[in-house]
Amino acid sequence: MGPAQVVGATVIDGSGRDPSNVVITVENGRITQLGASSAHGERLDAEGLTMTPGLIDAHVHLGLSSPIQPHFSFRISAAEIAADIFATAGATLDAGFTTVRDTGGIDGGVVTAIAKGKVRGPRVLSCGPVQCQIGGHGYYGAAWEPTGLWSSHQSTATLMAAREVALVPTFAVVERLLHDTAGAGLAESIRDRAKGVREQMTRALAVAKHAGVRIGLGSDLIGPAQDRRGGELSLRAALETPMEALVAATRTNAGILGLSGQVGVITPGAQADLVLWNATRSKTRNFSPTPPTPSS
């Protein structure tokens, strides 16, 4: 792919620095230059729009895109499950998320189908199947899991910071359960548990931040209504600042996923995962011909 220049956009580069108006030059899937360039090629006018790096969701479940109860009781065909997964993948890309980490629920075939361009979707890093203790979280919503015991935030945060363990809060799924438990395919009794979880998550975020824990961003949405993925940034912006929420969803998440410097930032050498925003919608532009490789 020849060089292309994006001009006129207000650029928020993922570093936390103030926005700037700078020309972005892209060639062969990578950002090659910031600032005026003499390179010839396509010129994209982004006047009046805001550019960010492609957003990253570090906790998704693309494989749980069908109604939960029919899915887990084997009342949906594999073809319908696949159709729901691919629909969610496309909607995720349209929402400005160009990279996601699937923390359980899909196989390698989904990752490969998206990577080959057979269906639209973000870059997917798959963690494989869910691993959980019998009766614990992930064991089909065990009723007795005691949220009241989730109170030792300080000692946990201190240990996480010392061991360089990252935290990825997921407020969006809890917000969904508080307002539409049935829509998520779960029993109404889950709502009361979600209230306790929400309070503890808010406290845990503040404690982790104070302890110096690296804090990313995820959604953990399940079921067919995963169209509020971007709401995680709004929820986090209410607890921190909008810039801190955006950095968590870009540069910080890239580091957590082992993709530092490759995605999540607008800088020379990075993959050209770029999103243009106006007041009502996003336009994702991916100039990248090959996916980045996570580092260990």
Side-chain angles (χ1 to χ4, degrees):
M1 178 184 293
Q5 294 183 16
V6 185
V7 301
T10 299
V11 177
I12 306 176
D13 64 9
S15 70
R17 291 190 290 264
D18 289 340
S20 62
N21 191 307
V22 62
V23 177
I24 309 296
T25 302
V26 174
E27 187 170 4
N28 295 324
R30 292 190 178 274
I31 299 169
T32 58
Q33 185 173 333
L34 304 184
S37 171
S38 60
H40 298 288
E42 185 180 7
R43 185 179 174 90
L44 305 176
D45 185 1
E47 186 70 35
L49 302 178
T50 299
M51 176 187 289
T52 68
L55 302 179
I56 303 170
D57 189 334
H59 189 142
V60 308
H61 293 289
L62 297 181
L64 300 179
S65 295
S66 302
I68 298 302
Q69 293 286 357
H71 186 157
F72 285 169
S73 57
F74 304 101
R75 290 185 281 124
I76 298 181
S77 69
E80 188 173 353
I81 291 172
D84 290 339
I85 290 172
F86 295 143
T88 297
T92 298
L93 186 64
D94 289 339
F97 289 85
T98 59
T99 303
V100 301
R101 177 176 64 174
D102 192 288
T103 57
I106 63 170
D107 59 28
V110 173
V111 179
T112 300
I114 294 174
K116 288 184 175 180
K118 294 186 175 182
V119 293
R120 296 179 65 254
R123 178 183 300 108
V124 181
L125 281 69
S126 176
C127 295
V130 173
Q131 298 182 18
C132 70
Q133 71 273 35
I134 295 175
H137 181 69
Y139 195 73
Y140 200 30
W144 57 265
E145 187 178 3
T147 58
L149 297 180
W150 299 359
S151 58
S152 58
H153 297 312
Q154 185 60 62
S155 59
T156 301
T158 300
L159 183 61
M160 290 176 68
R163 299 293 177 87
E164 299 183 348
V165 176
L167 172 67
V168 178
T170 55
F171 287 92
V173 65
V174 178
E175 198 74 10
R176 169 92 191 281
L177 294 177
L178 287 174
H179 293 93
D180 187 18
T181 309
L186 299 173
E188 284 297 318
S189 60
I190 296 294
R191 189 191 304 271
D192 290 335
R193 293 176 61 199
K195 291 179 181 177
V197 171
R198 181 67 162 81
E199 294 169 0
Q200 292 289 354
M201 285 176 64
T202 300
R203 180 167 173 251
L205 175 64
V207 172
K209 187 175 180 181
H210 183 264
V213 175
R214 180 168 56 165
I215 304 174
L217 180 144
S219 66
D220 195 19
L221 294 170
I222 60 174
Q226 298 193 26
D227 57 338
R228 302 295 297 172
R229 194 174 307 283
E232 184 71 28
L233 280 87
S234 297
L235 293 168
R236 283 285 294 277
L239 299 172
E240 301 177 272
T241 68
M243 183 62 80
E244 287 174 321
L246 180 62
V247 171
T250 51
R251 184 184 64 182
T252 302
N253 269 354
I256 292 172
L257 271 55
L259 299 175
S260 289
Q262 300 183 66
V263 298
V265 289
I266 298 177
T267 190
Q271 296 276 334
D273 288 3
L274 306 173
V275 182
L276 291 169
W277 307 86
N278 63 20
T280 59
R281 59 185 179 178
S282 67
K283 175 65 174 179
T284 304
R285 184 68 186 262
N286 188 335
F287 297 88
S288 305
T290 57
T293 302
S295 59
S296 57

